[in-house]
Amino acid sequence: GFVTVANSGEDFFIRKFDNYQYATSSRSSQSFRVSPSFDTVAYHYSQDGNSSGIVIADVDTREILWGTSRISYVISDWQPWNPYGTAFAYIHTLDAPRSPRFPSTEIAIVQKEESWEAEQTTNFNDSSGTFTQFMLKWSIDGEKLGFWLINTTTDEARLFVIDLESEEILDLCVSLSSYYSEIFWSPNSTQLVFKSENERIMLIDLEKRQFTEFDFDMFKIIAWLERE
């Protein structure tokens, strides 16, 4: 299970959540990912040793709302939920790794409409090679998902954005070799920034389709600051 800690200003309140159906502790750092709305939680499950996967459950009732038995995982250093808890992204493994570092994968996105049944899957694997996704990052408005698409043979990475509202997949025409920078979204979700392999800061404006490069090689990107 997991615990929550709340601070009223003077006292701390600790609440424990456990007894979720078929929950497994084999991936301790990745097992439970609570949505920002705190009404649902996603976790890895294992049932009788025969099937495993990811489920989404109600935080309080423990009722399972959605699940998949496909070989899937959530990377521990990124947030799979969008900022409103209305969409959940995970990586589905298609086959055994063809590269020492990366398996062949696709992105799957589950959205909350009337229920959690809707699912959008993005598979980039074709005759030109097999690919995996890395450094997934939701935009602030919860409608876009940025990620690096890595060729498992050459290690070349290209930057893509999935737009859930327009149902478009945008190739931002950025390519890196064996270097995958974290993506940072602007507060209005129209721009993103990252560090290139030559340590330059790259700014991409999605609306204007405009690229700007900054020569700040001694700086590290931490976050966007919203100006008033």
Side-chain angles (χ1 to χ4, degrees):
F2 59 95
V3 298
T4 60
V5 179
N7 183 1
S8 66
E10 297 181 357
D11 301 308
F12 285 95
F13 299 92
I14 300 176
R15 186 180 177 188
K16 181 179 179 181
F17 296 83
D18 56 11
N19 296 322
Y20 286 91
Q21 298 181 64
Y22 313 118
T24 175
S25 59
S26 61
R27 307 183 188 190
S28 58
S29 66
Q30 305 177 24
S31 292
F32 291 90
R33 308 304 292 269
V34 182
S35 69
S37 54
F38 205 79
D39 56 351
T40 48
V41 58
Y43 59 89
H44 291 273
Y45 81 92
S46 178
Q47 187 174 6
D48 302 325
N50 298 319
S51 63
S52 61
I54 294 176
V55 298
I56 294 176
D58 186 283
V59 166
D60 293 317
T61 68
R62 277 61 167 175
E63 177 188 359
I64 293 177
L65 307 174
W66 172 89
T68 177
S69 59
R70 300 189 300 177
I71 301 174
S72 310
Y73 60 94
V74 174
I75 303 298
S76 60
D77 59 355
W78 58 271
Q79 173 56 264
W81 292 99
N82 75 352
Y84 301 99
T86 56
F88 176 84
Y90 66 94
I91 296 176
H92 166 220
T93 303
L94 296 172
D95 53 29
R98 300 187 184 185
S99 160
R101 291 200 293 163
F102 303 116
S104 175
T105 64
E106 66 183 1
I107 294 176
I109 299 174
V110 186
Q111 293 179 263
K112 183 179 181 181
E113 296 176 354
E114 293 183 0
S115 66
W116 285 98
E117 297 301 323
E119 183 174 7
Q120 173 181 328
T121 303
T122 303
N123 182 356
F124 291 87
N125 298 280
D126 54 29
S127 59
S128 65
T130 57
F131 301 88
T132 192
Q133 293 78 34
F134 201 61
M135 293 286 188
L136 281 68
K137 193 68 170 287
W138 284 102
S139 60
I140 307 303
D141 63 6
E143 295 293 339
K144 303 177 186 70
L145 183 66
F147 61 94
W148 292 104
L149 182 71
I150 303 170
N151 187 309
T152 60
T153 302
T154 65
D155 277 354
E156 179 187 40
R158 292 161 56 197
L159 186 57
F160 281 79
V161 169
I162 299 175
D163 190 320
L164 298 185
E165 186 174 10
S166 66
E167 298 184 348
E168 292 181 315
I169 300 175
L170 308 176
D171 183 347
L172 301 185
C173 301
V174 174
S175 179
L176 301 179
S177 299
S178 303
Y179 178 87
Y180 322 115
S181 169
E182 184 176 357
I183 303 165
F184 295 87
W185 285 95
S186 65
N188 63 4
S189 301
T190 64
Q191 298 173 314
L192 49 82
V193 66
F194 64 94
K195 290 203 75 171
S196 67
E197 54 194 337
N198 61 4
E199 294 297 310
R200 294 176 181 270
I201 295 177
M202 300 291 295
L203 173 68
I204 302 178
D205 190 308
L206 297 180
E207 292 185 341
K208 298 178 180 178
R209 297 295 195 270
Q210 179 178 336
F211 292 74
T212 306
E213 187 175 9
F214 301 95
D215 189 9
F216 297 140
D217 58 342
M218 298 299 293
F219 290 86
K220 178 181 179 180
I221 303 172
I222 299 177
W224 278 85
L225 294 179
E226 186 169 7
R227 299 177 64 181
E228 297 182 356

